[in-house]
Amino acid sequence: NAGVTQTPKFRILKIGQSMTLQCTQDMNHNYMYWYRQDPGMGLKLIYYSVGAGITDKGEVPNGYNVSRSTTEDFPLRLELAAPSQTSVYFCASSRTSGIADTQYFGPGTRLTVL
Amino acid sequence: KNEVEQSPQNLTAQEGEFITINCSYSVGISALHWLQQHPGGGIVSLFMLSSGKKKHGRLIATINIQEKHSSLHITASHPRDSAVYICAVRAGSQGNLIFGKGTKLSVKP
């Protein structure tokens, strides 16, 4: 099993450009999450999904969009990149969201917006 | 005030020392997680606990629900333990995780 994979690993964007961060998991997990990690700050939840076709906002959703057309894939879209979106982005998945849940994280995407 | 507070923020230890990292939280929780973020950035789950104590190798995690406090202990620390240790809590039975800012541990040989 590859677990949770993310592409790209690094990306530099200019202000106003768009891009999609890809996330794929091969563990047949229902739940998937997108987090951002800013220097010196805890992980913040951007969006999450409880299954194919179902997504919901997390704590910091502004400037982002997601879709979940399959169980495996959960892409994160930045439409008009802004310097405030410079961060490290982590995708994660879990079998459930109950108290016994363990989240499995991807390796992260380091995004810089100039 | 953050809902999840970790202390210390930074910790430097000599190889072999006993290490304690603390996590305090202000919300009712159903579970608490300890995670490790490697210097390369990858994040792995170490423990999930809702009561008592868990042990895995040289790592021990404890939680006191009444005091809203958890500790992560590392015995006989080693330079390969150098990482950021993150505490996260699940508020309620189905809530999303709330993360602390992490404790950066550096173990010197």
Side-chain angles (χ1 to χ4, degrees):
Chain A
N1 282 354
V4 180
T5 58
Q6 291 182 237
T7 57
K9 285 191 169 59
F10 304 94
R11 183 73 185 267
I12 298 175
L13 283 182
K14 294 182 179 178
I15 294 172
Q17 286 185 321
S18 301
M19 78 164 294
T20 299
L21 282 67
Q22 301 292 345
C23 175
T24 300
Q25 54 92 8
D26 63 359
M27 297 174 281
N28 201 32
H29 285 171
N30 288 322
Y31 289 76
M32 296 187 74
Y33 313 83
W34 273 107
Y35 296 97
R36 60 177 287 171
Q37 185 180 41
D38 300 322
M41 301 297 292
L43 288 152
K44 301 288 186 188
L45 182 64
I46 305 171
Y47 271 95
Y48 67 100
S49 169
V50 303
I54 307 170
T55 63
D56 208 347
K57 296 177 180 179
E59 187 180 354
V60 290
N62 291 346
Y64 307 94
N65 278 300
V66 293
S67 60
R68 183 98 182 269
S69 57
T70 66
T71 299
E72 295 77 21
D73 300 307
F74 190 40
L76 177 72
R77 178 89 178 153
L78 283 71
E79 289 294 349
L80 292 169
S84 61
Q85 293 176 306
T86 294
S87 189
V88 181
Y89 291 84
F90 289 95
C91 178
S93 73
S94 63
R95 187 176 58 84
T96 72
S97 73
I99 64 172
D101 158 61
T102 293
Q103 291 191 14
Y104 296 83
F105 287 80
T109 295
R110 185 175 295 274
L111 175 67
T112 302
V113 182
L114 301 174
Chain B
K1 187 181 187 300
N2 292 331
E3 291 167 302
V4 180
E5 296 276 1
Q6 289 185 235
S7 63
Q9 287 185 344
N10 293 283
L11 180 56
T12 300
Q14 287 299 127
E15 184 173 357
E17 286 185 358
F18 181 85
I19 288 162
T20 296
I21 298 170
N22 297 298
C23 176
S24 297
Y25 52 92
S26 58
V27 295
I29 70 167
S30 57
L32 182 143
H33 297 248
W34 282 103
L35 306 104
Q36 181 190 55
Q37 185 167 23
H38 299 294
I43 299 173
V44 295
S45 180
L46 296 174
F47 292 104
M48 179 180 56
L49 59 164
S50 55
S51 65
K53 175 180 174 179
K54 284 190 176 180
K55 184 175 189 289
H56 182 75
R58 295 180 294 105
L59 274 58
I60 303 166
T62 65
I63 187 169
N64 185 317
I65 295 293
Q66 285 74 30
E67 294 186 4
K68 295 187 175 178
H69 182 267
S70 174
S71 292
L72 177 68
H73 306 286
I74 304 175
T75 62
S77 59
H78 190 275
R80 65 175 174 266
D81 297 325
S82 298
V84 176
Y85 292 85
I86 300 170
C87 173
V89 302
R90 183 177 301 285
S93 62
Q94 298 290 328
N96 291 311
L97 290 178
I98 305 169
F99 292 82
K101 294 181 180 180
T103 294
K104 185 174 182 180
L105 171 65
S106 178
V107 182
K108 305 294 186 187

